[in-house]
Amino acid sequence: MSNFYSNTVLSDMISTISHYASRPEEFWEGTKDHDVSQNIEALFRHLSEGAHSQILDFGCGPGRDLKQWTDRGCDVIGLDGCERFCEMASAYSGCEVWQQNFVELDLPMHRFDGIFANASLFHIHRSELLSVLTKFHQTLRKDGVVFCSNPRGPNIEQMNGDRYGNYMDVEGWSEFFTQAGFMACEHYFRPPGLPRHEQPWLAMVWRKQ
């Protein structure tokens, strides 16, 4: 990757983080009551260790889902690029939270049974996505699983205001996960119970091979 494009990737990531950092309390108030139990259950039913699992909440935000994982008995660590979100998440959930830029990850080897990436992976530049998923593969234990939920789209990249977005369909995401060494477990569209054109979110579960 050229230095120019590398700088672009980092610039877009920093811009995205800055967007959330500028309105952390507003973001919390707007998302704290979102029901993502369907997504949590989707990852949970594929965990080989069940309630004894070690979970990484990738893009944990202010910590809403960290609390749900601890309520299930799992040992969960949060990760987010926004410093204020990390502070809020730790205070709200009592969990350990790591502040890391999504494209400059430093993850331990073979640490987690599952990764919960709810509404976060689509903020990673397509040029860096395979590298990130490879790091997911390395930080997962044998038979570890990844859940991700992202706004679906026709395989395009674009800036929405200050935020970068990578909007792919099932085939687009599948190509990257397969290259990184994962096999598909399931996928579905959200919100549940609506016609497909009213389901903008694509949820997927992938197992480490």
Side-chain angles (χ1 to χ4, degrees), residues 80-94:
D80 205 275
C82 173
E83 181 179 7
R84 179 60 183 144
F85 277 177
C86 292
E87 295 169 352
M88 295 168 70
S90 179
Y92 177 71
S93 67

PDB file of all heavy atoms in Angstrom, residues 80-94:
ATOM      1  N   ASP A  80     -12.367  -0.102  21.722  1.00  0.00           N
ATOM      2  CA  ASP A  80     -12.912   0.991  20.914  1.00  0.00           C
ATOM      3  C   ASP A  80     -11.802   1.992  20.615  1.00  0.00           C
ATOM      4  O   ASP A  80     -10.813   2.081  21.362  1.00  0.00           O
ATOM      5  CB  ASP A  80     -14.071   1.679  21.636  1.00  0.00           C
ATOM      6  CG  ASP A  80     -15.026   2.364  20.670  1.00  0.00           C
ATOM      7  OD1 ASP A  80     -14.764   3.530  20.277  1.00  0.00           O
ATOM      8  OD2 ASP A  80     -16.034   1.735  20.278  1.00  0.00           O
ATOM      9  N   GLY A  81     -11.979   2.759  19.545  1.00  0.00           N
ATOM     10  CA  GLY A  81     -10.984   3.751  19.181  1.00  0.00           C
ATOM     11  C   GLY A  81     -11.182   5.088  19.854  1.00  0.00           C
ATOM     12  O   GLY A  81     -10.260   5.914  19.870  1.00  0.00           O
ATOM     13  N   CYS A  82     -12.369   5.316  20.401  1.00  0.00           N
ATOM     14  CA  CYS A  82     -12.707   6.598  21.027  1.00  0.00           C
ATOM     15  C   CYS A  82     -12.390   6.549  22.525  1.00  0.00           C
ATOM     16  O   CYS A  82     -12.952   5.731  23.255  1.00  0.00           O
ATOM     17  CB  CYS A  82     -14.180   6.903  20.798  1.00  0.00           C
ATOM     18  SG  CYS A  82     -14.797   8.357  21.667  1.00  0.00           S
ATOM     19  N   GLU A  83     -11.506   7.409  22.967  1.00  0.00           N
ATOM     20  CA  GLU A  83     -11.082   7.401  24.376  1.00  0.00           C
ATOM     21  C   GLU A  83     -12.257   7.593  25.322  1.00  0.00           C
ATOM     22  O   GLU A  83     -12.372   6.905  26.338  1.00  0.00           O
ATOM     23  CB  GLU A  83     -10.035   8.490  24.609  1.00  0.00           C
ATOM     24  CG  GLU A  83      -9.515   8.535  26.043  1.00  0.00           C
ATOM     25  CD  GLU A  83      -8.459   9.608  26.257  1.00  0.00           C
ATOM     26  OE1 GLU A  83      -8.220  10.407  25.315  1.00  0.00           O
ATOM     27  OE2 GLU A  83      -7.860   9.632  27.354  1.00  0.00           O
ATOM     28  N   ARG A  84     -13.143   8.527  25.008  1.00  0.00           N
ATOM     29  CA  ARG A  84     -14.284   8.793  25.895  1.00  0.00           C
ATOM     30  C   ARG A  84     -15.219   7.585  25.957  1.00  0.00           C
ATOM     31  O   ARG A  84     -15.734   7.252  27.032  1.00  0.00           O
ATOM     32  CB  ARG A  84     -15.041  10.034  25.418  1.00  0.00           C
ATOM     33  CG  ARG A  84     -16.266  10.376  26.265  1.00  0.00           C
ATOM     34  CD  ARG A  84     -15.901  10.641  27.716  1.00  0.00           C
ATOM     35  NE  ARG A  84     -17.087  10.909  28.537  1.00  0.00           N
ATOM     36  CZ  ARG A  84     -17.235  10.521  29.791  1.00  0.00           C
ATOM     37  NH1 ARG A  84     -16.254   9.848  30.393  1.00  0.00           N
ATOM     38  NH2 ARG A  84     -18.335  10.810  30.444  1.00  0.00           N
ATOM     39  N   PHE A  85     -15.443   6.905  24.829  1.00  0.00           N
ATOM     40  CA  PHE A  85     -16.253   5.694  24.849  1.00  0.00           C
ATOM     41  C   PHE A  85     -15.632   4.643  25.757  1.00  0.00           C
ATOM     42  O   PHE A  85     -16.338   3.945  26.492  1.00  0.00           O
ATOM     43  CB  PHE A  85     -16.388   5.127  23.431  1.00  0.00           C
ATOM     44  CG  PHE A  85     -17.469   5.763  22.602  1.00  0.00           C
ATOM     45  CD1 PHE A  85     -17.653   5.372  21.282  1.00  0.00           C
ATOM     46  CD2 PHE A  85     -18.300   6.738  23.118  1.00  0.00           C
ATOM     47  CE1 PHE A  85     -18.642   5.949  20.498  1.00  0.00           C
ATOM     48  CE2 PHE A  85     -19.300   7.325  22.336  1.00  0.00           C
ATOM     49  CZ  PHE A  85     -19.463   6.923  21.012  1.00  0.00           C
ATOM     50  N   CYS A  86     -14.317   4.495  25.704  1.00  0.00           N
ATOM     51  CA  CYS A  86     -13.640   3.510  26.549  1.00  0.00           C
ATOM     52  C   CYS A  86     -13.859   3.815  28.024  1.00  0.00           C
ATOM     53  O   CYS A  86     -14.111   2.914  28.830  1.00  0.00           O
ATOM     54  CB  CYS A  86     -12.154   3.474  26.228  1.00  0.00           C
ATOM     55  SG  CYS A  86     -11.763   2.817  24.580  1.00  0.00           S
ATOM     56  N   GLU A  87     -13.770   5.094  28.383  1.00  0.00           N
ATOM     57  CA  GLU A  87     -14.009   5.499  29.764  1.00  0.00           C
ATOM     58  C   GLU A  87     -15.444   5.206  30.182  1.00  0.00           C
ATOM     59  O   GLU A  87     -15.690   4.683  31.278  1.00  0.00           O
ATOM     60  CB  GLU A  87     -13.706   6.991  29.927  1.00  0.00           C
ATOM     61  CG  GLU A  87     -12.250   7.368  29.709  1.00  0.00           C
ATOM     62  CD  GLU A  87     -12.031   8.872  29.615  1.00  0.00           C
ATOM     63  OE1 GLU A  87     -13.034   9.619  29.564  1.00  0.00           O
ATOM     64  OE2 GLU A  87     -10.864   9.296  29.594  1.00  0.00           O
ATOM     65  N   MET A  88     -16.382   5.559  29.330  1.00  0.00           N
ATOM     66  CA  MET A  88     -17.798   5.323  29.627  1.00  0.00           C
ATOM     67  C   MET A  88     -18.106   3.834  29.724  1.00  0.00           C
ATOM     68  O   MET A  88     -18.842   3.391  30.612  1.00  0.00           O
ATOM     69  CB  MET A  88     -18.668   5.975  28.542  1.00  0.00           C
ATOM     70  CG  MET A  88     -18.580   7.492  28.496  1.00  0.00           C
ATOM     71  SD  MET A  88     -19.334   8.200  26.996  1.00  0.00           S
ATOM     72  CE  MET A  88     -21.086   7.889  27.315  1.00  0.00           C
ATOM     73  N   ALA A  89     -17.538   3.049  28.811  1.00  0.00           N
ATOM     74  CA  ALA A  89     -17.795   1.611  28.792  1.00  0.00           C
ATOM     75  C   ALA A  89     -17.263   0.928  30.047  1.00  0.00           C
ATOM     76  O   ALA A  89     -17.922   0.061  30.633  1.00  0.00           O
ATOM     77  CB  ALA A  89     -17.168   0.988  27.548  1.00  0.00           C
ATOM     78  N   SER A  90     -16.075   1.321  30.468  1.00  0.00           N
ATOM     79  CA  SER A  90     -15.492   0.737  31.671  1.00  0.00           C
ATOM     80  C   SER A  90     -16.316   1.087  32.908  1.00  0.00           C
ATOM     81  O   SER A  90     -16.584   0.228  33.752  1.00  0.00           O
ATOM     82  CB  SER A  90     -14.052   1.225  31.834  1.00  0.00           C
ATOM     83  OG  SER A  90     -13.471   0.691  33.004  1.00  0.00           O
ATOM     84  N   ALA A  91     -16.730   2.340  32.996  1.00  0.00           N
ATOM     85  CA  ALA A  91     -17.518   2.770  34.148  1.00  0.00           C
ATOM     86  C   ALA A  91     -18.888   2.095  34.176  1.00  0.00           C
ATOM     87  O   ALA A  91     -19.380   1.703  35.245  1.00  0.00           O
ATOM     88  CB  ALA A  91     -17.687   4.290  34.113  1.00  0.00           C
ATOM     89  N   TYR A  92     -19.502   1.947  33.021  1.00  0.00           N
ATOM     90  CA  TYR A  92     -20.854   1.376  32.964  1.00  0.00           C
ATOM     91  C   TYR A  92     -20.862  -0.124  33.223  1.00  0.00           C
ATOM     92  O   TYR A  92     -21.730  -0.637  33.926  1.00  0.00           O
ATOM     93  CB  TYR A  92     -21.473   1.668  31.594  1.00  0.00           C
ATOM     94  CG  TYR A  92     -22.834   1.058  31.388  1.00  0.00           C
ATOM     95  CD1 TYR A  92     -23.947   1.559  32.065  1.00  0.00           C
ATOM     96  CD2 TYR A  92     -23.020  -0.026  30.521  1.00  0.00           C
ATOM     97  CE1 TYR A  92     -25.203   1.004  31.875  1.00  0.00           C
ATOM     98  CE2 TYR A  92     -24.268  -0.585  30.331  1.00  0.00           C
ATOM     99  CZ  TYR A  92     -25.362  -0.073  31.004  1.00  0.00           C
ATOM    100  OH  TYR A  92     -26.608  -0.630  30.819  1.00  0.00           O
ATOM    101  N   SER A  93     -19.871  -0.828  32.649  1.00  0.00           N
ATOM    102  CA  SER A  93     -19.900  -2.293  32.695  1.00  0.00           C
ATOM    103  C   SER A  93     -18.999  -2.903  33.754  1.00  0.00           C
ATOM    104  O   SER A  93     -19.202  -4.052  34.152  1.00  0.00           O
ATOM    105  CB  SER A  93     -19.488  -2.852  31.327  1.00  0.00           C
ATOM    106  OG  SER A  93     -18.123  -2.556  31.062  1.00  0.00           O
ATOM    107  N   GLY A  94     -17.979  -2.151  34.187  1.00  0.00           N
ATOM    108  CA  GLY A  94     -16.987  -2.713  35.090  1.00  0.00           C
ATOM    109  C   GLY A  94     -15.985  -3.608  34.393  1.00  0.00           C
ATOM    110  O   GLY A  94     -15.170  -4.267  35.047  1.00  0.00           O
TER     111      GLY A  94
END
